[in-house]
Amino acid sequence: MRNLQIIAVGKLKERYLTEGCAEYCKRLAAYGRIRITELEEVRLPERPGEAQIRAALEAEGRRILERAAGSRLIALCVEGEMLSSEQLARTLDRLEVEGTSAFSFAIGSSWGLSEEVKRAAALRLSVSRMTFPHQLMRLILCEQLYRACSISAGARYHK
């Protein structure tokens, strides 16, 4: 049984995002366990300096790595590898065959992810060259995980 965890820095504030994520999590339950772990974002001043941003990312990164312990970490970041939905499904299937049953997908704050998290990740994943708000990214990831699981199961959702 596949165990999926989304570790997200920050809380969802918009109702349509929380409802969308809840819907896909409900659907994903047919394929395994899904859990969303929200981590508090480090507060920064309105115009933070590079050192402040780096320190915040490092603090958030330590918490991400703690929550991802014992699972295969996948970091969502703009410089990551872009995979099709089918490629994501095959990648998760391959990792499962190799013995991985627990996956943690890390979504950073609006400042991104620490270098430590990116180095620890088994895969750096990008869904697009475009920039998305990190809260919307959570909904996109939930949908893509459901799509990947549907592909793996041969279900009709994916066209």
Side-chain angles (χ1 to χ4, degrees), residues 53-93:
I53 294 169
R54 189 171 40 256
L57 290 177
E58 288 172 3
E60 292 167 355
R62 284 190 294 276
R63 289 183 288 161
I64 289 169
L65 292 173
E66 286 172 9
R67 297 298 175 99
S71 66
R72 185 69 69 108
L73 179 62
I74 299 172
L76 276 77
C77 50
V78 295
E79 69 273 17
E81 183 179 353
M82 285 197 287
L83 301 177
S84 68
S85 298
E86 294 89 349
Q87 288 171 316
L88 177 60
R90 284 193 302 270
T91 298
L92 296 178
D93 291 344

Side-chain angles (χ1 to χ4, degrees), residues 21-116:
C21 287
E23 177 62 28
Y24 284 110
C25 285
K26 183 174 84 175
R27 293 179 187 192
L28 275 162
Y31 300 110
R33 286 189 44 214
I34 175 72
R35 179 176 71 224
I36 295 179
T37 303
E38 290 183 335
L39 302 178
E40 190 173 333
E41 189 172 355
V42 173
R43 296 194 186 270
L44 289 169
E46 190 173 318
R47 292 189 177 142
E50 283 297 315
Q52 291 171 307
I53 294 169
R54 189 171 40 256
L57 290 177
E58 288 172 3
E60 292 167 355
R62 284 190 294 276
R63 289 183 288 161
I64 289 169
L65 292 173
E66 286 172 9
R67 297 298 175 99
S71 66
R72 185 69 69 108
L73 179 62
I74 299 172
L76 276 77
C77 50
V78 295
E79 69 273 17
E81 183 179 353
M82 285 197 287
L83 301 177
S84 68
S85 298
E86 294 89 349
Q87 288 171 316
L88 177 60
R90 284 193 302 270
T91 298
L92 296 178
D93 291 344
R94 178 181 49 80
L95 291 170
E96 256 187 336
V97 168
E98 293 172 1
T100 300
S101 63
F103 300 89
S104 290
F105 294 81
I107 301 172
S109 67
S110 59
W111 296 103
L113 292 167
S114 71
E115 289 303 315
E116 185 180 15

Side-chain angles (χ1 to χ4, degrees), residues 6-9 64 76 105-109 112-113 134 137-138 141:
I6 296 172
I7 303 170
V9 177
I64 289 169
L76 276 77
F105 294 81
I107 301 172
S109 67
L113 292 167
H134 63 284
M137 190 66 249
R138 191 183 315 184
L141 178 60

Side-chain angles (χ1 to χ4, degrees), residues 138-151:
R138 191 183 315 184
L139 177 57
I140 293 169
L141 178 60
C142 286
E143 191 281 334
Q144 283 299 300
L145 290 175
Y146 176 67
R147 185 175 296 273
C149 289
S150 297
I151 291 168

